[in-house]
Amino acid sequence: MAWSFLRVGDNPWTTKTVDHLCQECAVVMANGGSVFIYDVPQRSGHVIGWHQDILAQVAAFCRRRKAVSQHTESVPQVALLHSQSHYYASNQGLYAMGSALTPVTGALFGLLENHWHVDVLNEDALLRRLEEYPAVVVAEQTHLPTKLVQALERYVQEGGHLVVSGAETCQAFRRILGAKKRGNLREETLFVGVGDESVPVTGPWQPLRPEEAGEVLPLLSDQEPERDGLGLPAAISNRVGKGTVVAVPGPVFAAYGRARYPRLRAVIGRIMKAALSKPLVELSGPPSVQLSLRRKGNRLLVHLYNLGAEPTLSPTAHMVESVPAAGPLKLSLQCPSEPKQVSLQPGKQSLGWSYKNGKLQVAISSLHIHEVLVVEL
């Protein structure tokens, strides 16, 4: 349910714009959901005419996308664990979430903004469907059941790609990290080096000494990668059996949940690439453009939705007045055979594409709010 209205602070409620509502609906449709919009008539029961004009435009936007949104299935790529064990150990009552969701929401934002397709699964769903996913992310989830930890260890041995983060979570998976503890927890702000730059992340950090594992990103005492290295890794990668585990012994995902710093997004991107270097779909574009990979019959559907906004949003201005077009975008999709047809929906727009060595390459000049790349196999 999308509200047709919002308010800032204690100011009166006001109706959202067409672009704002279309953007909200697009995210739901892109993930296979249904959506309805809540509108309020006058106290007399009179239906406000100009509200209905706005809703009619939004309804037309949704219906144009119905055929490529309804009755679709997610194509498994990255499973993000939303552990009930962690949640109920970390929340503050039924509706007081406290910090229980911060690592999961941070991981979800970070993955989507790096153009990964993500499904959020609890422990039971993940155990049932584990073999379907090329990659699994366990973002600072604590109090994990032994059964789940052992299942994920087997998953890696058999060819899966696992990302674990957080000092306590890394300790739960210590048997497969390829590294040992090196000293006590550091409850302080340290820096993660990313290229020639760095970003601060407040601990706890668990210093690690890599043995079989290799360093992915360095941990720094201050901001300068060339002079402030601690000789400790901020992220490591270890080959285990047929699979890979990437471990981050600090709370990078919770940090991103609290503050979405661009360099921290880049850190998350490097971590994911170390875990799964060749995803099914890759997108070159701004972080405001996100994707959802769906399937319907013999068609692969790459939903692209644009979360940009003009003018710039703020705590006192969070109405999306208009969505600026994003682009150009470049998309690469692994396909077992050359597609029969490739188009951009709605409207079955033709576009240039090429296929070579099992990979479909598509260039999209511009994306407004929501378009769907339809690949007929």
Side-chain angles (χ1 to χ4, degrees):
M1 179 180 71
W3 285 22
S4 64
F5 46 86
L6 59 71
R7 70 174 177 176
V8 176
D10 294 328
N11 291 286
W13 297 95
T14 188
T15 300
K16 295 174 182 175
T17 65
V18 171
D19 273 15
H20 191 132
L21 289 166
C22 286
Q23 194 179 63
E24 290 187 32
C25 292
V27 175
V28 179
M29 292 188 296
N31 289 281
S34 300
V35 62
F36 69 95
I37 299 173
Y38 163 34
D39 186 42
V40 179
Q42 292 181 350
R43 296 296 294 178
S44 65
H46 172 73
V47 176
I48 299 164
W50 65 271
H51 286 197
Q52 309 315 304
D53 294 338
I54 288 174
L55 297 179
Q57 293 180 65
V58 179
F61 172 90
C62 294
R63 289 177 182 133
R64 285 196 297 271
R65 290 155 173 81
K66 178 178 177 179
V68 289
S69 300
Q70 197 172 45
H71 306 308
T72 64
E73 296 179 346
S74 175
V75 178
Q77 282 297 284
V78 178
L80 174 60
L81 175 64
H82 177 17
S83 164
Q84 60 262 37
S85 300
H86 170 83
Y87 178 82
Y88 291 119
S90 306
N91 73 335
Q92 296 171 359
L94 182 58
Y95 297 112
M97 293 179 287
S99 61
L101 288 180
T102 307
V104 172
T105 54
L108 182 60
F109 292 144
L111 293 168
L112 291 174
E113 291 168 10
N114 276 289
H115 308 129
W116 291 86
H117 171 61
V118 187
D119 291 333
V120 180
L121 305 177
N122 69 5
E123 294 165 14
D124 298 330
L126 182 61
L127 284 170
R128 287 197 309 270
R129 302 184 58 195
L130 188 53
E131 295 179 357
E132 299 176 31
Y133 287 89
V136 175
V137 175
V138 181
E140 294 123 59
Q141 301 294 281
T142 60
H143 303 81
L144 296 175
T146 301
K147 178 182 177 181
L148 179 63
V149 172
Q150 291 174 344
L152 286 167
E153 290 174 341
R154 289 193 299 272
Y155 163 80
V156 176
Q157 287 280 355
E158 294 167 4
H161 301 87
L162 176 65
V163 174
V164 298
S165 65
E168 185 174 335
T169 311
C170 286
Q171 176 64 12
F173 290 94
R174 61 191 178 278
R175 289 176 294 274
I176 60 172
L177 296 191
K180 300 292 185 183
K181 284 185 178 180
R182 183 179 171 183
N184 298 324
L185 286 174
R186 298 183 66 154
E187 301 273 2
E188 59 186 300
T189 298
L190 298 174
F191 292 78
V192 180
V194 53
D196 296 329
E197 301 177 335
S198 65
V199 63
V201 176
T202 300
W205 285 95
Q206 174 58 63
L208 293 178
R209 182 181 69 251
E211 295 183 337
E212 296 86 3
E215 182 177 281
V216 175
L217 294 168
L219 198 59
L220 316 173
S221 61
D222 214 313
Q223 298 186 54
E224 192 65 65
E226 290 187 359
R227 67 183 298 273
D228 296 326
L230 288 169
L232 298 170
I236 58 174
S237 176
N238 189 36
R239 188 76 179 171
V240 181
K242 299 177 182 178
T244 304
V245 58
V246 175
V248 183
V252 294
F253 290 113
Y256 199 67
R258 291 189 296 268
R260 286 154 73 173
Y261 293 156
R263 293 179 187 86
L264 193 49
R265 183 194 307 123
V267 164
I268 293 170
R270 291 280 294 273
I271 290 166
M272 289 304 300
K273 275 293 187 180
L276 185 61
S277 60
K278 295 180 180 180
L280 183 61
V281 59
E282 297 179 85
L283 175 65
S284 175
S288 59
V289 175
Q290 299 172 14
L291 66 84
S292 177
L293 187 59
R294 314 286 298 180
R295 179 184 290 113
K296 187 174 185 179
N298 65 343
R299 294 184 294 175
L300 277 177
L301 308 166
V302 185
H303 287 256
L304 301 167
Y305 52 94
N306 178 8
L307 298 183
E310 285 183 342
T312 303
L313 302 183
S314 76
T316 57
H318 51 266
M319 176 87 77
V320 177
E321 293 187 40
S322 64
V323 176
L329 308 174
K330 293 182 179 179
L331 188 140
S332 174
L333 181 69
Q334 295 183 38
C335 292
S337 59
E338 184 170 351
K340 298 174 182 176
Q341 188 176 26
V342 180
S343 63
L344 198 62
Q345 299 281 7
K348 208 169 186 178
Q349 308 164 51
S350 62
L351 72 168
W353 57 276
S354 62
Y355 179 82
K356 185 178 180 180
N357 298 328
K359 187 168 284 191
L360 172 68
Q361 304 280 359
V362 178
I364 299 171
S365 59
S366 180
L367 172 72
H368 182 210
I369 295 177
H370 176 229
E371 307 284 350
V372 185
L373 182 70
V374 180
V375 182
E376 306 272 356
L377 298 174

